Amino acid sequence: MLDFFKSQHCQMSVLADWEIRGLAKNQKMIEPFVDHLVSKENGRKLLSYGLSSYGYDIRLSPKQCLVFGKIQAGDCDPKNFDPDILRPTELLEDERGQYFLLPPYGYCLGVAYERLKLPRDVTVVAVGKSTYARSGILVNITPAESGWQGYLTLEISNCTGLYNRIYANEGITQLLFYRGNPCEVSYQDRKGKYQDQPYEVVFSQV
C-alpha cells in the first residue's frame, strides 16, 4: 500500500477547516475542539481561538508558565537541562482576563490547553498570532510530527524592553496541519522522546 502512495507523487497540502473538523470529530485530533473562531466571551474581547479557515488557534493553559532567569549565572545545557534555572510566574487577573506577565526580553515555557493526537499522514507546524507579534511577543515555530500526541509545550519570547502580557485561556499560537503521503516511520513508531506529553511543561531532553 505504501508503494502505491509513493507512486502517486502526492504533494503535501495544508488542511482546510472542514478537513480539520472531520479529523477532530472522528479521530479526536484536537481535544477539546471548538468548530469556529471565538473572539469574544461574555462581552469581553479575546485573543481568538478555535477553528479558522486553514488552521486552528490553540489556547495557553493557565496551569503553568515558567520563566528563565531564576539563576543569573552559568549556562543552559539542552543535553542536561536544569529546571532550577526556571521560576514559576504568578497567574494574574483583571477585567481583561487572566494573564502571565513576561519581564523585558523574557523567555518562558507554557503548556497548551488542548491535547493533540495526530494521524499518521498529518504533521503540524505552530506559527505566531498577528496581535501578539505586533506587541513584541513571539511563539517559537516548532513542528509536531505524524503520530505525535500529547499537550504541546509552548516556547514564548518577549522581544521588547517592556513587561508584556500573555493571556491564559485565549489563543496563543495557530497550528497549520499538513497532509502528505503516509510516512514509513512515524514519531509514534520510533517512540519519540516527547511522545505523550502530559498537561504540564516538558523540559529539554536528549
Side-chain angles (χ1 to χ4, degrees), residues 2-154:
L2 189 59
D3 289 337
F4 169 78
F5 281 113
K6 286 181 177 178
S7 68
Q8 303 307 301
H9 302 292
C10 176
Q11 293 183 344
M12 184 167 281
S13 60
V14 65
L15 297 186
D17 48 9
W18 60 273
E19 294 173 294
I20 297 170
R21 183 185 298 111
L23 289 171
K25 291 185 175 181
N26 298 325
Q27 298 188 36
K28 299 182 178 180
M29 186 172 72
I30 306 169
E31 291 186 297
F33 176 72
V34 179
D35 69 356
H36 60 283
L37 207 58
V38 178
S39 59
K40 184 179 290 188
E41 285 180 348
N42 300 320
R44 179 168 59 87
K45 293 182 179 179
L46 304 176
L47 288 143
S48 59
Y49 67 88
L51 184 64
S52 59
S53 302
Y54 285 93
Y56 192 93
D57 288 32
I58 58 173
R59 287 166 280 184
L60 175 66
S61 168
K63 179 178 181 180
Q64 202 172 21
C65 180
L66 304 177
V67 176
F68 283 76
K70 182 177 179 181
I71 297 175
Q72 300 296 328
D75 60 8
C76 178
D77 185 355
K79 290 187 176 182
N80 185 28
F81 191 85
D82 180 7
D84 286 339
I85 67 176
L86 302 171
R87 59 177 174 82
T89 303
E90 182 183 1
L91 182 66
L92 304 172
E93 185 172 6
D94 63 13
E95 69 279 359
R96 296 189 182 93
Q98 293 183 318
Y99 63 95
F100 298 107
L101 200 59
L102 288 189
Y105 306 110
Y107 190 82
C108 75
L109 302 178
V111 62
Y113 182 81
E114 292 84 0
R115 187 179 191 277
L116 301 182
K117 182 181 179 183
L118 299 180
R120 191 178 188 86
D121 60 348
V122 173
T123 194
V124 162
V125 174
V127 297
K129 289 176 67 68
S130 296
T131 302
Y132 271 132
R134 296 174 199 204
S135 299
I137 291 291
L138 298 182
V139 179
N140 244 0
I141 299 173
T142 57
E145 296 185 64
S146 64
W148 185 87
Q149 59 184 6
Y151 293 89
L152 288 171
T153 291
L154 304 172

